[in-house]
Amino acid sequence: MTSPMSSQPSRATPDSAADTAAPAERRRSHVPVWRRVLPFRLVALLPLAIFLLVFAAYPMVQLVRMSLSEVEIAGGEFVWSGAGLANYAEFPDDDIARYSFLITVVFIAVTVPATVILGTVLAVLVRRATLLAGLARNVLLWPALIAPVVVSVIWWLILSPNFGTLNKVLESLGLPPQGWLGSSSGAIVSIIVVDVWHWAPLVFILIYAALQGIEPDLIEAAEVDGATEWQVHRHVVLPLLVPAIAAASLIRLTMGAKAFDEMYVLTQGGPGTATTLVSLYIRNVFFDRLDLGYGAAVSVLVILAIGAVLALVAIGRAVGPGKGPAHA
Amino acid sequence: MPSDSSRRIRLGAELPLALATLLVFLPVALILVLSVQPVVNIITEGWSFGFTMQNFREVFAPRQPYLTQLGNSTIIVAGTVALCLSAGSLAGYSLSRLGWSARTTILVLVAAGLVTLIPPMALVPGLYVTLDALGLLGSLAGLVLLNTVFNLPFASVLMKVYFDRVPHEIRESALMDGASELRTFLRVMLPLAAPGAAAVAIFVAIMSWNEFLFGLTMTTGGRTSPITVGIASLVQPYQITFGEMAALGTAVAVPIIVLAIVANRWIVAAVTRGAVKG
């Protein structure tokens, strides 16, 4: 995250001194008392603050409290009773929970590099193309903008064992139809392919915008010096793209942990529990098993895991060797 | 100005790009084509093509919940965009132009940004009891509020970025002329950040139109749900409802594709600014 404040040192004053801008000073005497207690800049921040408190901080507190409780639904009401760490103690013996964490890590480990590499390659290609640049820049955005549920339906129409388009194509080529989503490995590969189709376009937009920001002079200078296309991209363009690629990777990493819609629609987490990623598992525990306390405990563990990964990334950036253009 | 070398047609770029564009285009085209195919054509082996509006008539018949769900989604989009624009432009303006220290600004933005990093499903248990306590469970108002929470951090950051580009002197001279802070914001500063507001509106509209998870978990389905939940309900392993599925998917996707074509430039700006800064 860059700080736009750094370009305006005069504004980076302590909060208390900030109201002393000349025009405000002149009108100070007419300002009603409530205005001084609640200046406009504070009032303007209140809606955001209230939203974060009521719909992020408070639910978070409730989540932690729920994870430490046994919650029954009786007569349409929640009945809470303290359970200590019992819900957390359940986790190590829960094979499905451990599998859902593992398969989520695998899912992230494959889809993040795949979408980042593919999206970057597409961005470079669009910049180099002339004939197809306009069309591709438009069409390549579609998967990232269409509702994920619709993306899932599109792939259901393609992969469905009965009358799915892919099997129809195979049959007309004289090949045997496949049960794409029917086997564990087939289902896992399928959701990975769908995810790459779905989100490589997002990386494409991000990297393409970063490419637009590169000075054409830099590239031309390298070309004039006799560098080949490959050398230009490897030694001039790629290093300049490092911050954008890092940002895109981080965004895709958190998106991988959020993935839900595609599995819910395409595989319902199956066959068996093969594609039950953590988000889907939390839903199942919470809404199918109605085990509210345990669902909350798994949620807390997911949040802690993401927090740990992000903290590692932050530490890595702070102490790592990437002090070059990566921090520009 | 493009040099000669950049105007040359490079097959090494055009051919892979043609393939990629085709791979993106064909699956989307498939749902559009299937939406107007008679069911017989879909469920028989081999390829035969026809044209019918029967699938659309089927899903939008009054006995079906889907028309109501489209209405619900429209209300959710309108409410979420309105809330994100007003709360987001106020917060963005305050953080950009009203003299908060760099430390405070970063603290607020990081706190808001954290919300968008947490998988929404992990917050669902907490959000569920929160909406229940407020009596908003299963209501459109509840869905508007949840959509707002998860889009507001982005909206605030994006508005801040646009307000950062408005020169200080404009605000100061408006205040000097005797305009109140609120009036300065509404009449002078906000119009100057209108491109930012447009980008926020487009982005938030797409996100809330596409939202599925809260619609699924916070409503009881049927006529209380947004349309995304309705589409998902059509996907049944042992039932062939391809025609209806394709028709409903088309009805939801086409407005977005049209928007992608018409407002391409805005969307690229919104996604890049918001994602990179946020």
Side-chain angles (χ1 to χ4, degrees):
Chain A
M1 189 181 309
T2 58
S3 167
M5 302 303 270
S6 57
S7 58
Q8 304 149 8
S10 64
R11 284 277 139 176
T13 50
D15 291 355
S16 55
D19 267 349
T20 54
E25 186 74 64
R26 189 178 308 161
R27 299 175 310 121
R28 173 82 9 126
S29 49
H30 314 295
V31 174
V33 175
W34 67 268
R35 261 294 170 67
R36 247 172 284 169
V37 183
L38 274 179
F40 181 69
R41 63 176 189 154
L42 196 59
V43 175
L45 269 187
L46 277 182
L48 172 66
I50 290 170
F51 263 106
L52 291 179
L53 282 177
V54 177
F55 293 105
Y58 178 76
M60 197 73 117
V61 171
Q62 292 293 313
L63 177 71
V64 174
R65 188 180 145 227
M66 191 185 277
S67 75
L68 299 171
S69 308
E70 197 63 53
V71 184
E72 304 281 341
I73 300 174
E77 304 251 327
F78 294 107
V79 182
W80 304 61
S81 53
L85 292 170
N87 290 317
Y88 291 95
E90 231 181 283
F91 181 79
D93 298 326
D94 183 348
D95 290 342
I96 305 177
R98 281 189 289 119
Y99 176 80
S100 75
F101 272 72
L102 178 72
I103 193 67
T104 305
V105 170
V106 171
F107 180 79
I108 290 173
V110 178
T111 57
V112 171
T115 51
V116 169
I117 292 169
L118 203 55
T120 306
V121 169
L122 286 174
V124 170
L125 288 177
V126 168
R127 214 185 76 100
R128 285 165 45 78
T130 45
L131 272 183
L132 286 172
L135 180 72
R137 197 167 49 221
N138 215 308
V139 173
L140 289 180
L141 291 189
W142 292 359
L145 300 177
I146 299 173
V149 169
V150 175
V151 169
S152 312
V153 164
I154 287 175
W155 284 91
W156 173 249
L157 295 171
I158 294 171
L159 296 172
S160 168
N162 310 312
F163 314 111
T165 303
L166 197 50
N167 276 349
K168 270 193 165 187
V169 170
L170 287 183
E171 278 169 28
S172 37
L173 295 172
L175 297 166
Q178 304 288 320
W180 302 103
L181 301 168
S183 70
S184 296
S185 53
I188 293 168
V189 171
S190 295
I191 61 165
I192 286 173
V193 168
V194 172
D195 191 78
V196 171
W197 186 86
H198 196 169
W199 295 120
L202 178 72
V203 179
F204 157 74
I205 311 175
L206 297 172
I207 305 296
Y208 181 76
L211 272 175
Q212 297 299 93
I214 294 178
E215 287 287 329
D217 297 359
L218 279 174
I219 294 170
E220 268 172 36
E223 278 169 352
V224 169
D225 288 347
T228 64
E229 296 257 8
W230 167 251
Q231 286 170 330
V232 170
H233 281 96
R234 170 69 189 80
H235 297 290
V236 180
V237 175
L238 195 61
L240 290 169
L241 285 182
V242 165
I245 290 175
S249 305
L250 201 59
I251 291 166
R252 288 287 306 127
L253 179 77
T254 60
M255 289 172 71
K258 293 177 187 176
F260 174 78
D261 302 9
E262 298 84 345
M263 290 92 234
Y264 183 83
V265 173
L266 271 179
T267 65
Q268 288 86 44
T273 55
T275 54
T276 303
L277 272 65
V278 283
S279 285
L280 189 53
Y281 186 62
I282 293 171
R283 195 215 76 94
N284 294 347
V285 171
F286 197 77
F287 290 97
D288 291 345
R289 274 163 47 184
L290 291 175
D291 196 343
L292 277 56
Y294 185 54
V298 176
S299 299
V300 170
L301 292 174
V302 168
I303 293 172
L304 288 178
I306 292 168
V309 171
L310 293 177
L312 281 178
V313 171
I315 292 168
R317 277 188 65 161
V319 302
K323 286 283 177 197
H327 290 254
Chain B
M1 183 188 294
S3 63
D4 276 351
S5 69
S6 70
R7 220 179 287 153
R8 200 177 58 215
I9 292 171
R10 300 182 175 100
L11 287 181
E14 306 285 350
L15 287 179
L17 210 50
L19 181 68
T21 309
L22 209 58
L23 282 176
V24 166
F25 181 78
L26 282 180
V28 179
L30 173 73
I31 196 172
L32 303 184
V33 170
L34 287 185
S35 73
V36 292
Q37 292 307 308
V39 178
V40 229
N41 289 1
I42 301 174
I43 61 168
T44 47
E45 284 180 23
W47 308 89
S48 42
F49 294 98
F51 182 86
T52 177
M53 291 307 277
Q54 184 54 37
N55 297 322
F56 287 93
R57 275 197 293 274
E58 179 62 31
V59 286
F60 292 126
R63 68 191 156 77
Q64 302 275 25
Y66 307 116
L67 208 52
T68 313
Q69 291 175 342
L70 272 180
N72 291 345
S73 284
T74 310
I75 293 169
I76 291 170
V77 167
T80 308
V81 168
L83 279 180
C84 282
L85 272 184
S86 40
S89 57
L90 277 169
Y93 178 61
S94 179
L95 291 174
S96 168
R97 280 292 169 263
L98 301 184
W100 295 101
S101 69
R103 205 180 39 170
T104 310
T105 305
I106 287 171
L107 197 73
V108 171
L109 292 181
V110 166
L114 282 180
V115 176
T116 62
L117 296 178
I118 300 172
M121 186 53 88
L123 275 182
V124 158
L127 290 169
Y128 195 84
V129 293
T130 305
L131 282 193
D132 185 58
L134 294 171
L136 292 172
L137 206 52
S139 70
L140 291 181
L143 289 179
V144 166
L145 291 171
L146 293 194
N147 273 292
T148 302
V149 181
F150 283 84
N151 285 306
L152 188 52
F154 169 81
S156 306
V157 170
L158 196 58
M159 288 311 295
K160 177 182 180 303
V161 171
Y162 277 88
F163 279 122
D164 283 343
R165 301 155 144 199
V166 180
H168 283 288
E169 294 74 18
I170 292 178
R171 171 172 172 268
E172 275 152 23
S173 63
L175 288 173
M176 208 88 86
D177 289 347
S180 69
E181 283 280 14
L182 183 63
R183 203 180 156 78
T184 305
F185 168 68
L186 288 175
R187 293 294 169 83
V188 181
M189 300 299 279
L190 198 52
L192 290 171
V200 166
I202 290 171
F203 182 84
V204 172
I206 292 175
M207 294 299 284
S208 49
W209 178 255
N210 291 349
E211 204 282 325
F212 172 66
L213 194 153
F214 295 132
L216 178 75
T217 55
M218 301 293 162
T219 71
T220 49
R223 290 178 197 271
T224 64
S225 303
I227 188 66
T228 45
V229 176
I231 298 175
S233 72
L234 277 172
V235 182
Q236 306 282 349
Y238 304 109
Q239 224 179 328
I240 304 297
T241 52
F242 283 13
E244 287 99 316
M245 231 186 266
L248 212 47
T250 299
V252 172
V254 162
I256 302 293
I257 293 176
V258 170
L259 196 64
I261 295 169
V262 174
N264 190 267
R265 192 175 297 269
W266 295 104
I267 292 167
V268 174
V271 172
T272 44
R273 292 234 171 71
V276 174
K277 301 270 177 181

